[in-house]
Amino acid sequence: MVKQWMVAMVLAVSLSGCGYNTMQSQDEAANAAWSKVLNQYQRRDELVPNLVATVQGYAKHEKEVLTEVTEARAKVGSVQLTGDTATNEQQLKAFSDAQGGLTSALSKLMVVEKYPELKANTNFLELQKQLEGTENRITVARNRYIESVQTYNTTVRQFPNNLTAKMFGMDVRPNFTVENEKAISTAPKVSF
């Protein structure tokens, strides 16, 4: 009886330190952080048609740039990623590449020195402020996601948690990276 009690105590103590609940909490935190990233990208996606329409009235001959923005936005819309699928490194890269393409296209659109009337248009100025704010929010949300993934990955890789992770199929999550992180981590430049 004493032996059974001792075995039960050893088992209870070892299971309490296995890290399973911690990993579950951190995985959920990473999923929530990813949702916040998607929320900010969605906000940007909703601003783009208004921005294009405003600029279109002033820059009719810049059709190539407007087309590039529209195509980049469509590509972004075709790459869907959720907190669960954000664990797939290839899907995460495709998503970040599409977002980087939209950021690049938007930065070309925001160069408006040729259009003094556009620079004075209150709709354009408001959209410009909203887009810059959204780009900053995207950077903050991405950074929080990266920190959440780092915390989770550290826990999953530490001993003895790594044994629990292997037992329950909990893998390291890929982090959000892009080829040109510096270019998309700043708001598009606006030249006047």
Side-chain angles (χ1 to χ4, degrees):
M1 178 131 178
V2 172
K3 251 185 180 182
Q4 290 174 341
W5 182 79
M6 293 270 288
V7 168
M9 285 298 287
V10 168
L11 188 59
V13 168
S14 66
L15 285 177
S16 68
C18 72
Y20 179 80
N21 289 336
T22 300
M23 285 181 265
Q24 291 297 319
S25 297
Q26 291 171 349
D27 188 47
E28 286 302 315
N31 287 340
W34 182 250
S35 293
K36 291 175 183 175
V37 169
L38 291 177
N39 185 37
Q40 295 308 318
Y41 278 128
Q42 178 66 35
R43 184 176 193 276
R44 178 174 74 173
D45 190 51
E46 291 167 0
L47 286 173
V48 170
N50 295 329
L51 186 63
V52 168
T54 301
V55 173
Q56 209 165 21
Y58 291 93
K60 292 189 188 322
H61 66 281
E62 295 290 343
K63 189 170 186 151
E64 181 181 318
V65 173
L66 295 171
T67 301
E68 187 177 337
V69 170
T70 304
E71 288 171 356
R73 182 174 179 261
K75 186 173 181 183
V76 163
S78 70
V79 181
Q80 299 297 317
L81 204 59
T82 64
D84 292 335
T85 57
T87 60
N88 181 305
E89 195 166 357
Q90 291 159 336
Q91 288 179 323
L92 191 59
K93 180 164 178 13
F95 179 84
S96 64
D97 288 347
Q99 292 295 340
L102 181 57
T103 298
S104 176
L106 284 172
S107 66
K108 291 176 189 173
L109 181 67
M110 298 302 288
V111 179
V112 294
E113 66 256 354
K114 298 182 223 171
Y115 314 105
E117 307 87 32
L118 180 59
K119 289 192 283 189
N121 181 289
T122 55
N123 287 341
F124 176 77
L125 294 174
E126 183 58 33
L127 288 167
Q128 177 187 351
K129 285 179 194 173
Q130 287 184 29
L131 185 61
E132 288 171 350
T134 299
E135 292 295 332
N136 291 333
R137 288 181 183 129
I138 288 169
T139 299
V140 169
R142 269 198 334 251
N143 287 338
R144 288 181 181 156
Y145 172 73
I146 289 166
E147 290 168 2
S148 294
V149 169
Q150 178 186 10
T151 300
Y152 171 79
N153 287 349
T154 300
T155 300
V156 167
R157 294 178 69 197
Q158 288 177 334
F159 182 82
N161 294 342
N162 63 342
L163 301 175
T164 303
K166 285 181 196 254
M167 186 180 347
F168 290 100
M170 301 169 107
D171 295 322
V172 172
R173 293 175 71 117
N175 221 325
F176 185 82
T177 59
V178 292
E179 288 188 25
N180 192 358
E181 178 70 26
K182 188 175 182 180
I184 73 161
S185 66
T186 56
K189 300 289 184 224
V190 179
S191 302
F192 293 106

